[in-house]
Amino acid sequence: MIYSQSSLRRIQFFIFLVSAALLAYEIILIKMLSIQYWYHFAYLIISIALLGFGTSGTFIFLLRKTLKNNVLRIFYLFPLLMVGSIWINVPLSRLIDFNPLMIIWQHVEIVNLAFLVLALFVPFFLGAVCIGMGFVVFPDKIHRIYFSNLVGSGLGTLLVMLTVLHVSPNDIIFIISLIAIAATFPMATNRLRKAVSLTVFIAAVTGYFFFLQNAPLVMTSFKDLSRAEHLQHATTEFQRYGPLGLVTVIDSPAYHYLPDLSLTCLHLLPKQKGLFMDGNAIGAINRYSGSMNDLRFMECRTSSLVYRLVPNPDVLIIGGGGGTEILNAHYCGSKRIFVVEMNNDIISLMRNRYSHFSGGIYNFENCRIVSADGRGYLQGTKETFDVIQLSALETMESTASGVYSLNENYLFTTEALRTSLKRLNPGGVISISRWVRNPPRESIKILATVINALEAENRDASQSIIMIRSWQTATLLMKNGTFRPQEIGAAKEFCGNHGFDLCYYPGITAQETNIVNRLDERYFFIAADKLLSGEKEQFYRQYPFDIRPATDNKPFFSHFFKMGLLKQYVSPGGRGIIPYMDWGYILVWASFFILVVFSMIFILLPLRILRGSSRGTFCVFVYFGSLGLAYIFLEISFLQQFIRYLYDPVFSATVVICSFLVYSGVGSLIGEKVWQSHPGYILVFSLLFIVTIGIVYVGSDLFLLHALSGLSLWLRMLICSILIAPLAIPMGIPFPAGLSRLGQVHEDIVPWAWGINGFFSVIGSSSAVLIAIGFGFKVAIVCALFLYMIAGIAYLFIGLQRIRGGFLHS
């Protein structure tokens, strides 16, 4: 079948729309899973999408003759099926009762995860078949088809970014559906098809108002919000979708949240309302009448120690939330209170709807509210402070289960604490509160990170730290200077009055620790002694959890998993170790295993059955496999790293995925123009350029962090996108160049090569996360650059030996 130039433009527009719908769906799934569960699961969604693309290559390879003879039917029918599968996934995600928290306890959860992967996989497979058929129909116009695919994908991510403001995920799914339905109109070659497309369009609009618009996004029953909704007389007073997530306020007479309160406190707590972000508790909104007597309970908190040591300070509070720390600073007589709160929805909520209930704390005269990320503000501000409060506490249940083990936290890295130190006035103090578990994990890790930061600044860490704890939280003070004897005496008196335990102060003895809230051992004293005595490396190795300081290169502060725990788990009677394991890390491995199995079943196994001799295909395998791994390694690494610049995983995913795709599409067009005259030179040049720019980025990370700090979100997003261009444009050349070279040698093997690329892309997403956890993002980037060099070598051998006798001919 011969297609005209007008057919090419029509199919390019069709692929543009389908690609936009697919990538918009991919991005919104990242947000939906972060609401349903605890983590954004970007790596998993990207892997599922790539599994769909890889499977489509195998599908086209196996049925290429039938599909080519019915290509217009495929182009018309599959987008409609894609819309149907997306809508089915809305209720299906509720029926598949996957609970990641129980994946260690109950192995059936691995089966539920497999079902969830299959359900989410179907729309991507259907859409990818449409895109892949474009390559089959126009094998000599691969660069143009690839350009339409990538630019359309970039538009899809941009669509989510522009509509996510106060629009629910279900609303965005509706918009995605309309785009996919619109893609069928250019393919509707007769009146019947046009009528069907119009009918489906009307049905989608009707279904949205009667079904999708008010369909609840169900969270796992173990999430904080799910449990709060079951409290006595609980009512949802406020709920809004915003660019940073779902903000919810719950009212219940049974709701109380003040984790560092002393058990000996005799003062009544005020009425509180629960404040949640994406279903995770981020604090409480306290009723405040304006009377200081209402706030006397603030004296009985571990986080109040800093105000005993630094009277009437200028305070910086990272994370305003419901305003508890603002009230504490106000009660303790702070002169000026600077509050950094990233979420404008929370700021608006506290300044308007809950202003009267909370006593107008967000509108205090001496209180300045800044809408920014904490790390970004510290990086960009010229202000200095007497006290910096970093009391970020998730719920005890969430941290205990390891649900945050994969979360990138750039506030509690060595580099971030060094920056915080530089924002302190002489004698100023940073106060950090974390949970105490038995054995301790994050509270020991923050101690190790603080010591690392002080030593990196050439400070005497042994003289600059005080640490105390209650029955469930530990508060660590890090001073810009050394603690004086009278300050140490005040800390001892404070702990004695409120039933807190001393963990460390300069000159502490073992007998002074672990007295009131007893643990099995004097963990904190032992940890401080080892970390400050030059035995830290030995202590890191011997401690049962990974408590090495978090860094910007490995920002997984809540990751504590060690392989020794897994060995105990698989040993006889090993289930007793389960409470100490981080399910998040286990989930990556479970996802990796499931994706490898599905990739082999859907991509490799069918091809292996139909393929005889492998003569001449090894280099094709290496070339497209290396490209698949390398591309996804770079994309995932940049996505994770750019969270530090953009401060939110959805913003980072939007900018990184959109930029990589659009710029790669531009690179594909450039490659087409140069390909005919200089096929070898353009590929070698692009690969060398990728490696060079990648090395530059690895070395300029710290410079970029400083340069971007303090800029507005939209300006940072624009600059980040531009920064990706020099790397992504040449990344768009090797894949279509390889397909074009392969088409000259053996056209029928093109879908197989696409399938191989898809297989390695699928497993590359999880692999990149595992490499980053173990060795850091920079190592993942270096691996990607090495793979690009391997691909360049493999390309030289493609076509030198003609592929023969290896494939089933239709």
Side-chain angles (χ1 to χ4, degrees):
M1 187 180 294
I2 300 175
Y3 294 90
S4 63
Q5 190 68 22
S6 62
S7 298
L8 172 62
R9 287 194 293 268
R10 190 152 51 98
I11 291 176
Q12 278 188 274
F13 181 64
F14 164 80
I15 289 175
F16 175 85
L17 292 178
V18 171
S19 301
L22 280 180
L23 262 293
Y25 185 55
E26 180 179 337
I27 295 294
I28 201 58
L29 278 178
I30 295 173
K31 172 51 67 179
M32 290 173 70
L33 288 192
S34 69
I35 295 174
Q36 287 183 273
Y37 307 111
W38 287 272
Y39 181 65
H40 54 78
F41 292 113
Y43 78 93
L44 180 60
I45 297 302
I46 292 173
S47 291
I48 294 171
L50 293 170
L51 178 63
F53 276 78
T55 305
S56 71
T58 303
F59 179 76
I60 294 170
F61 175 73
L62 298 179
L63 303 174
R64 57 194 176 278
K65 185 175 181 180
T66 302
L67 294 176
K68 285 181 73 173
N69 292 336
N70 296 275
V71 66
L72 293 180
R73 292 190 183 94
I74 297 296
F75 284 160
Y76 179 77
L77 181 61
F78 273 42
L80 298 180
L81 294 176
M82 184 178 79
V83 172
S85 62
I86 289 174
W87 281 56
I88 290 173
N89 279 344
V90 174
L92 193 60
S93 63
R94 298 197 295 270
L95 294 176
I96 300 174
D97 190 22
F98 171 56
N99 184 359
L101 193 65
M102 300 297 290
I103 198 166
I104 302 175
W105 292 89
Q106 299 178 357
H107 295 161
V108 70
E109 295 300 339
I110 297 179
V111 178
N112 290 334
L113 175 60
F115 281 130
L116 182 64
V117 168
L118 283 175
L120 298 178
F121 150 83
V122 173
F124 294 108
F125 166 73
L126 294 170
V129 169
C130 298
I131 298 169
M133 287 304 299
F135 292 118
V136 173
V137 172
F138 290 100
D140 58 334
K141 300 295 182 182
I142 285 177
H143 290 83
R144 295 193 180 186
I145 300 296
Y146 194 51
F147 171 77
S148 301
N149 166 221
L150 295 183
V151 174
S153 299
L155 175 70
T157 58
L158 185 64
L159 170 70
V160 175
M161 183 177 69
L162 295 178
T163 58
V164 76
L165 302 173
H166 305 306
V167 175
S168 75
N170 287 341
D171 295 334
I172 297 178
I173 285 177
F174 171 62
I175 297 172
I176 292 169
S177 302
L178 297 185
I179 294 174
I181 295 170
T184 65
F185 283 98
M187 299 295 111
T189 55
N190 56 51
R191 291 182 178 180
L192 177 61
R193 288 184 179 177
K194 291 179 180 178
V196 171
S197 294
L198 184 60
T199 301
V200 173
F201 185 91
I202 295 171
V205 174
T206 305
Y208 166 74
F209 287 106
F210 286 95
F211 167 69
L212 193 62
Q213 185 179 30
N214 298 315
L217 192 60
V218 179
M219 301 177 187
T220 175
S221 59
F222 286 84
K223 259 206 164 181
D224 303 329
L225 179 58
S226 299
R227 289 185 284 111
E229 289 173 336
H230 289 89
L231 292 174
Q232 182 184 25
H233 306 305
T235 57
T236 301
E237 287 191 345
F238 177 87
Q239 195 164 65
R240 175 181 291 176
Y241 288 97
L244 297 181
L246 175 64
V247 177
T248 307
V249 177
I250 294 288
D251 179 58
S252 168
Y255 186 86
H256 297 287
Y257 187 85
L258 202 63
D260 64 338
L261 188 68
S262 168
L263 292 175
T264 65
C265 182
L266 301 177
H267 307 295
L268 293 176
L269 292 181
K271 177 178 174 54
Q272 294 182 323
K273 298 178 185 289
L275 182 62
F276 303 84
M277 171 62 67
D278 285 346
N280 303 311
I282 58 172
I285 305 173
N286 300 274
R287 175 183 284 167
Y288 177 50
S289 65
S291 170
M292 286 294 188
N293 285 330
D294 295 345
L295 303 179
R296 294 191 64 189
F297 66 93
M298 291 291 182
E299 300 172 2
C300 307
R301 302 177 58 208
T302 58
S303 58
S304 297
L305 172 61
V306 66
Y307 297 108
R308 290 291 187 93
L309 308 185
V310 187
N312 309 117
D314 286 343
V315 180
L316 172 64
I317 298 170
I318 303 296
T324 299
E325 295 308 328
I326 302 175
L327 285 176
N328 196 11
H330 174 66
Y331 177 74
C332 295
S334 301
K335 288 185 297 185
R336 293 189 301 167
I337 305 172
F338 295 77
V339 181
V340 176
E341 172 53 58
M342 184 178 177
N343 197 316
N344 276 314
D345 288 335
I346 292 178
I347 295 175
S348 175
L349 194 69
M350 296 300 297
R351 279 182 165 170
N352 298 292
R353 179 166 182 151
Y354 288 99
S355 177
H356 178 73
F357 179 85
S358 64
I361 54 175
Y362 266 63
N363 297 313
F364 283 166
E365 288 185 7
N366 67 334
C367 186
R368 177 187 171 191
I369 309 296
V370 180
S371 177
D373 167 76
R375 175 71 182 273
Y377 180 79
L378 288 168
Q379 204 77 46
T381 187
K382 300 301 180 183
E383 294 274 0
T384 56
F385 310 93
D386 301 312
V387 170
I388 298 178
Q389 281 275 9
L390 302 176
S391 302
L393 284 172
E394 304 84 10
T395 57
M396 180 64 135
E397 293 84 353
S398 297
T399 54
S401 61
V403 299
Y404 293 106
S405 62
L406 297 182
N407 277 30
E408 310 84 358
N409 190 329
Y410 288 102
L411 192 59
F412 292 132
T413 65
T414 298
E415 294 87 346
L417 292 179
R418 292 181 65 183
T419 301
S420 299
L421 268 174
K422 295 172 183 176
R423 299 294 172 262
L424 285 177
N425 292 319
V429 177
I430 298 170
S431 176
I432 307 171
S433 294
R434 301 301 305 176
W435 291 106
V436 172
R437 289 188 274 167
N438 192 10
R441 273 152 272 186
E442 61 261 40
S443 46
I444 297 291
K445 192 165 190 171
I446 197 64
L447 175 62
T449 308
V450 164
I451 290 173
N452 241 34
L454 286 166
E455 291 177 347
E457 291 293 316
N458 297 315
R459 309 292 180 89
D460 186 354
S462 65
Q463 301 297 312
S464 303
I465 295 173
I466 290 178
M467 192 174 192
I468 67 171
R469 66 177 177 87
S470 65
W471 67 285
Q472 65 175 354
T473 63
T475 295
L476 188 151
L477 304 185
M478 177 172 57
K479 186 176 181 180
N480 183 15
T482 60
F483 282 107
R484 302 189 303 271
Q486 56 266 39
E487 293 172 329
I488 294 172
K492 290 181 178 181
E493 181 184 2
F494 179 80
C495 289
N497 291 340
H498 299 295
F500 297 137
D501 280 284
L502 291 162
C503 297
Y504 178 82
Y505 67 80
I508 195 171
T509 63
Q511 289 70 30
E512 296 177 87
T513 65
N514 202 33
I515 297 173
V516 182
N517 307 283
R518 294 181 64 86
L519 298 174
D520 297 339
E521 295 185 31
R522 293 184 169 93
Y523 290 108
F524 293 96
F525 176 82
I526 295 171
D529 180 61
K530 297 293 184 183
L531 292 170
L532 291 168
S533 64
E535 301 180 31
K536 62 173 61 177
E537 286 300 322
Q538 181 183 359
F539 182 66
Y540 292 152
R541 290 193 299 269
Q542 293 178 347
Y543 203 71
F545 304 101
D546 183 1
I547 46 86
R548 289 181 180 273
T551 64
D552 284 352
N553 188 41
K554 295 172 64 176
F556 306 100
F557 175 79
S558 297
H559 174 72
F560 309 108
F561 182 84
K562 273 188 173 182
M563 290 306 295
L565 294 173
L566 187 60
K567 293 178 182 178
Q568 295 182 53
Y569 173 63
V570 299
S571 65
R575 291 181 66 85
I577 201 69
I578 288 178
Y580 306 107
M581 296 180 68
D582 296 333
W583 73 258
Y585 186 69
I586 301 298
L587 183 62
V588 180
W589 281 105
S591 303
F592 179 79
F593 173 76
I594 289 171
L595 291 166
V596 167
V597 171
F598 283 156
S599 297
M600 294 181 69
I601 293 173
F602 296 152
I603 301 175
L604 293 188
L605 187 60
L607 297 174
R608 181 64 182 173
I609 293 173
L610 292 176
R611 186 162 57 87
S613 170
S614 60
R615 186 179 181 184
T617 62
F618 177 74
C619 292
V620 176
F621 181 88
V622 171
Y623 180 78
F624 288 96
S626 297
L627 290 183
L629 280 176
Y631 194 102
I632 201 64
F633 273 18
L634 287 178
E635 188 173 63
I636 291 293
S637 298
F638 272 67
L639 189 155
Q640 303 285 355
Q641 285 284 72
F642 275 32
I643 293 175
R644 188 157 42 124
Y645 307 148
L646 301 173
Y647 316 134
D648 181 79
V650 174
F651 287 154
S652 179
T654 300
V655 170
V656 170
I657 294 175
C658 175
S659 299
F660 266 96
L661 292 173
V662 171
Y663 293 135
S664 294
V666 173
S668 179
L669 277 186
I670 295 173
E672 181 192 28
K673 295 183 181 300
V674 185
W675 171 257
Q676 299 298 333
S677 55
H678 304 287
Y681 291 114
I682 183 63
L683 183 79
V684 171
F685 176 79
S686 65
L687 293 175
L688 289 176
F689 201 80
I690 291 169
V691 172
T692 303
I693 296 298
I695 293 173
V696 170
Y697 281 163
V698 168
S700 60
D701 177 62
L702 189 60
F703 168 78
L704 293 175
L705 180 63
H706 286 281
L708 293 172
S709 62
L711 302 179
S712 68
L713 173 63
W714 294 105
L715 185 55
R716 276 183 279 122
M717 293 175 79
L718 176 62
I719 293 174
C720 285
S721 177
I722 294 172
L723 287 172
I724 292 172
L727 183 66
I729 289 176
M731 286 172 63
I733 295 174
F735 182 70
L739 290 182
S740 297
R741 173 92 172 247
L742 196 58
Q744 297 172 357
V745 178
H746 202 306
E747 182 179 323
D748 288 344
I749 202 178
V750 167
W752 178 78
W754 190 11
I756 294 299
N757 180 268
F759 171 78
F760 281 100
S761 296
V762 170
I763 66 174
S765 186
S766 299
S767 300
V769 175
L770 291 171
I771 291 173
I773 292 173
F775 305 100
F777 290 116
K778 291 182 180 179
V779 172
I781 294 174
V782 171
C783 288
L785 302 181
F786 180 71
L787 286 166
Y788 269 117
M789 290 189 287
I790 291 177
I793 296 172
Y795 177 84
L796 300 176
F797 293 92
I798 294 178
L800 292 184
Q801 186 176 32
R802 184 173 179 81
I803 301 168
R804 62 175 181 231
F807 295 88
L808 180 69
H809 291 272
S810 301

